[in-house]
């Protein structure tokens, strides 16, 4: 398996995107992908499937430390208190203590980027994520 190294993170180069996967189908697809060898799962708050992604992760039987989990914070939650709260909600839905990568889904010019970056750094300090990156172009988003 190939990996991308960035800011100390070792990210599997190929991952399963879960956009538009819903319900039991989402959980089954994630479970089967992990059983077939995928080790990077990508979800987002706006996909409304974080619970099912977590269910599939647990059902796969693959150890958590072998799977790189990415989720994305939606643009309306970029203010510092909102980002922390919404990240905690994502973790609860995923039933994980932390994600490996926390992304900003799209830019939000209404909330100062400096505030949002501080909130991302705070989420990392709190142990909610191992890494965080910002793509100000929105090109990494689904």
């Amino acid at each position: 398996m190939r990996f991308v190294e960035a800011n100390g993170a070792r990210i599997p180069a190929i991952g399963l995107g879960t956009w538009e996967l819903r319900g039991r189908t989402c959980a089954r697809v994630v479970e089967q992908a992990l059983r077939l060898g995928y080790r990077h799962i990508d979800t987002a708050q706006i996909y409304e499937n974080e619970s099912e992604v977590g269910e599939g992760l647990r059902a796969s039987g693959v150890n958590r430390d072998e799977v790189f989990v990415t989720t994305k914070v939606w643009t309306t939650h970029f203010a510092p208190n909102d980002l922390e709260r919404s990240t905690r909600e994502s973790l609860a839905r995923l039933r994980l203590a932390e994600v490996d990568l926390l992304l900003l889904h799209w830019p939000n010019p209404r909330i100062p980027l400096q505030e949002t970056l501080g909130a991302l750094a705070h989420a990392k300090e709190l142990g909610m994520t191992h890494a965080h990156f910002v793509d100000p172009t929105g090109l990494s988003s689904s």
Side-chain angles (χ1 to χ4, degrees):
M1 176 173 295
R2 291 186 181 172
F3 293 86
V4 174
E5 308 242 352
N7 290 356
R10 192 163 187 252
I11 307 167
I14 297 177
L16 177 72
T18 62
W19 182 51
E20 293 192 344
L21 289 175
R22 298 282 186 272
R24 186 71 194 124
T25 299
C26 178
R28 282 195 327 263
V29 168
V30 170
E31 175 186 356
Q32 290 304 310
L34 291 169
R35 288 185 180 185
L36 290 170
Y38 279 80
R39 290 299 181 265
H40 182 180
I41 305 296
D42 175 271
T43 187
Q45 294 170 349
I46 196 68
Y47 300 171
E48 297 181 346
N49 65 5
E50 289 172 319
S51 295
E52 291 84 357
V53 167
E55 181 183 331
L57 175 59
R58 286 182 298 285
S60 74
V62 175
N63 289 331
R64 169 63 183 100
D65 62 354
E66 295 179 31
V67 181
F68 193 94
V69 179
T70 299
T71 196
K72 301 174 206 78
V73 178
W74 189 240
T75 62
T76 57
H77 306 305
F78 285 2
N81 290 338
D82 292 338
L83 190 137
E84 182 178 337
R85 178 194 46 76
S86 70
T87 301
R88 288 187 191 282
E89 290 170 356
S90 287
L91 294 173
R93 285 188 293 270
L94 288 160
R95 291 180 48 197
L96 296 175
E98 77 283 326
V99 292
D100 298 288
L101 179 59
L102 185 63
L103 297 173
L104 302 177
H105 205 126
W106 288 105
N108 183 345
R110 293 185 185 125
I111 300 172
L113 184 58
Q114 185 174 0
E115 288 180 21
T116 304
L117 292 178
L120 275 173
H122 186 64
K124 185 175 179 181
E125 289 168 6
L126 292 173
M128 294 191 282
T129 181
H130 293 287
H132 61 273
F133 299 100
V134 178
D135 179 2
T137 66
L139 295 177
S140 69
S141 304
S142 299

